[in-house]
Amino acid sequence: MTAAVHQSATTRAGNGQAGPGAVPRDWDSGLARRARNLGAGEITAILSLAGASDVITFAGGFPDPATFPTGVLRDIAARLITEDPGVALQYSATEGIASVRDYVSGRLSSVQGRAPGSGELMITSGGIDCLELVARSYVDAGDVVVVEAPTYLGAIMAFRGHEADVRGVPVDGDGLRVDVLASRLAAGLRPKVLYTIPDFQNPTGLTMSAQRRLELIALARRYGFLIVEDVAYRDLGFEHEPPPSLWSAAPDVVLQAGTFSKIFAPGLRLGWAAGPAQIVSQLAVAKQNSDQCSGALGQRMLEEYGRSGHMERQIVASRALYARRAELTSDALAAHMPEGTTWTTPEGGFYIWLTAPDGVDTVALSAAARARKVAYVPGRPFYPHADGTTQVRIAYSRVADDLIDEGIRRIGEVFATAGKDGPQR
Ligand SMILES: Cc1ncc(COP(=O)(O)O)c(C=O)c1O
């Protein structure tokens, strides 16, 4: 122990350079078991392109900065810092500032038709914070967590980070195959948690039908598992609202994880958890052991921005922006993809899910795509098991209108060349 402490001090003093006599240490050998095999390496490499200015990137699920209300926020922030520093610059209650919870509760009532009861709502540091708190509070090593296959990579990582046994159930055009889940439950599968993104899902863009939502709720009640409903894209339907949220229909068995990242600004790291009071209070205990509370300044900015009506006005504009991008992307795919390629048609959100012809390995080809200055996320990491080799997630949300066609043309070229040359393994 003394040696390790001594060595890290030497390393720090040397500004990253080991001092004389120091033996380079393999810090990975001491990794906690739960931190091993999280499988994020390939994705980290691809997402690192997000900031590259000469790459057309369909990679990260980023909102377009044009949707950030900079002028309004500058005024709100200046006012809060001048007039209310005792709240805005202070720690907040772990569950969130009371007036902010009141605002979010009112918003849920107006957009989802249900207001959380006493103790049923807390503010989180984005959607991922909620998932981490759920995993930390409810998942023991080996517990089964069912997810859609494919699903949001961050969720797989959050559950795996607590050594869950993550199992995938396939999706189709109506969302999660609840019939497949039902047969697995009948055959003895006993999940503790089922995680779903029912609206304009990441990564497929697909939405769960109203009928399947009811069937899923019935299964949760029958088999006693918790549904974690991630509504990250729910407010971003292009023309239609999705069916009623699972939480609004079944607050007894659903915990809703919400985020303001896609409709406000991810830089403020804000979201919510709404569900049974017993669960929400447990998440608050877990949050006391992590970041203790979400940033008060951001919370108050959200409240002021929302209460003055700006949020709902911006959401209308954002829907139109993303609907246009989705259409441009679909048109470009139709023009440039090799024969045999299929893709989803989203009715909201940020993503199109593409399946390339057999023999195309989208992980292997991401290097060729990078060389052509275009980026996507290959399908494989969105599955909890080995799958998705020929698939790709296309995030159109942050690609400028006039670059979409060119970017998709480059991806089409990469896939077409691979198809001709045979499997790229
Ligand atoms: C389905 C889903 N849930 C949660 C998140 C995380 O969002 P946040 O920035 O709120 O942590 C994302 C971000 O991409 C997402 O796609």
Side-chain angles (χ1 to χ4, degrees):
M1 189 62 207
T2 319
V5 170
H6 171 72
Q7 185 183 339
S8 75
T10 315
T11 307
R12 242 181 286 129
N15 212 7
Q17 304 251 305
V23 183
R25 212 182 138 96
D26 176 15
W27 294 106
D28 281 356
S29 66
L31 264 181
R33 201 178 55 202
R34 64 183 173 277
R36 291 178 210 151
N37 304 322
L38 286 178
E42 63 199 8
I43 217 78
T44 308
I46 291 157
L47 290 179
S48 68
L49 282 173
S53 56
D54 60 343
V55 175
I56 303 177
T57 177
F58 296 91
F62 292 80
D64 193 300
T67 66
F68 300 158
T70 48
V72 179
L73 283 191
R74 186 194 53 222
D75 295 347
I76 291 174
R79 187 154 32 81
L80 287 172
I81 290 167
T82 313
E83 294 171 12
D84 200 15
V87 171
L89 300 181
Q90 190 54 278
Y91 291 112
S92 82
T94 302
E95 298 80 9
I97 297 170
S99 64
V100 178
R101 272 185 289 141
D102 181 68
Y103 160 67
V104 174
S105 175
R107 178 166 196 275
L108 288 177
S109 170
S110 93
V111 299
Q112 294 189 33
R114 183 186 161 79
S118 165
E120 291 181 351
L121 176 73
M122 69 183 276
I123 304 298
T124 61
S125 301
I128 194 67
D129 184 31
C130 181
L131 303 184
E132 168 62 28
L133 296 175
V134 169
R136 184 190 285 227
S137 305
Y138 287 96
V139 174
D140 279 321
D143 281 347
V144 173
V145 174
V146 169
V147 300
E148 287 149 347
T151 190
Y152 169 47
L153 169 62
I156 298 179
M157 291 176 66
F159 293 121
R160 285 236 171 100
H162 291 270
E163 301 179 74
D165 176 2
V166 181
R167 309 277 186 95
V169 168
V171 297
D172 67 12
D174 281 335
L176 180 76
R177 289 281 308 275
V178 178
D179 57 328
V180 174
L181 174 66
S183 8
R184 293 197 190 159
L185 291 167
L189 184 72
R190 289 293 174 268
K192 200 181 241 184
V193 171
L194 179 138
Y195 168 78
T196 175
I197 310 159
D199 320 305
F200 320 122
Q201 199 230 23
N202 178 5
T204 63
L206 299 170
T207 294
M208 194 190 297
S209 69
Q211 179 59 28
R212 288 213 186 150
R213 289 176 196 233
L214 297 179
E215 291 164 3
L216 178 60
I217 289 166
L219 289 175
R221 288 187 176 138
R222 177 161 172 204
Y223 288 97
F225 57 83
L226 173 70
I227 299 174
V228 175
E229 175 190 38
D230 186 331
V231 291
Y233 303 94
R234 182 174 175 82
D235 293 308
L236 293 175
F238 301 153
E239 282 179 20
H240 309 287
E241 302 268 312
S245 71
L246 293 159
W247 166 73
S248 68
D252 54 326
V253 288
V254 180
L255 179 83
Q256 181 172 95
T259 175
F260 291 102
S261 290
K262 317 295 177 174
I263 54 173
F264 180 39
L268 289 154
R269 311 305 301 127
L270 289 169
W272 70 90
Q278 210 182 358
I279 296 180
V280 171
S281 73
Q282 203 51 56
L283 301 191
V285 171
K287 196 168 168 71
Q288 275 156 13
N289 274 321
S290 53
D291 67 353
Q292 297 194 341
C293 61
S294 302
L297 178 60
Q299 289 189 55
R300 288 285 292 115
M301 287 168 74
L302 166 78
E303 180 189 353
E304 296 287 308
Y305 178 68
R307 284 198 196 275
S308 57
H310 289 300
M311 171 105 70
E312 307 313 316
R313 279 192 291 278
Q314 178 57 53
I315 287 174
V316 172
S318 299
R319 285 180 183 145
L321 170 71
Y322 298 129
R324 191 178 68 237
R325 297 249 163 104
E327 194 177 346
L328 287 170
T329 309
S330 294
D331 291 349
L333 289 167
H336 302 302
M337 280 299 134
E339 202 158 321
T341 310
T342 58
W343 56 89
T344 56
T345 304
E347 294 177 343
F350 286 5
Y351 310 107
I352 288 176
W353 185 241
L354 183 148
T355 304
D358 281 348
V360 170
D361 179 337
T362 56
V363 171
L365 287 175
S366 47
R370 269 203 299 279
R372 280 181 161 81
K373 305 264 182 230
V374 67
Y376 57 74
V377 183
R380 209 168 63 193
F382 296 98
Y383 287 88
H385 49 262
D387 209 338
T389 316
T390 64
Q391 296 177 309
V392 156
R393 187 189 74 177
I394 303 281
Y396 48 75
S397 50
R398 200 182 50 157
V399 185
D401 291 5
D402 59 351
L403 292 178
I404 288 177
D405 188 75
E406 173 59 17
I408 296 293
R409 192 187 64 74
R410 292 181 196 174
I411 297 175
E413 245 173 47
V414 171
F415 290 174
T417 312
K420 271 190 226 116
D421 298 349
Q424 311 286 302
R425 285 172 203 282

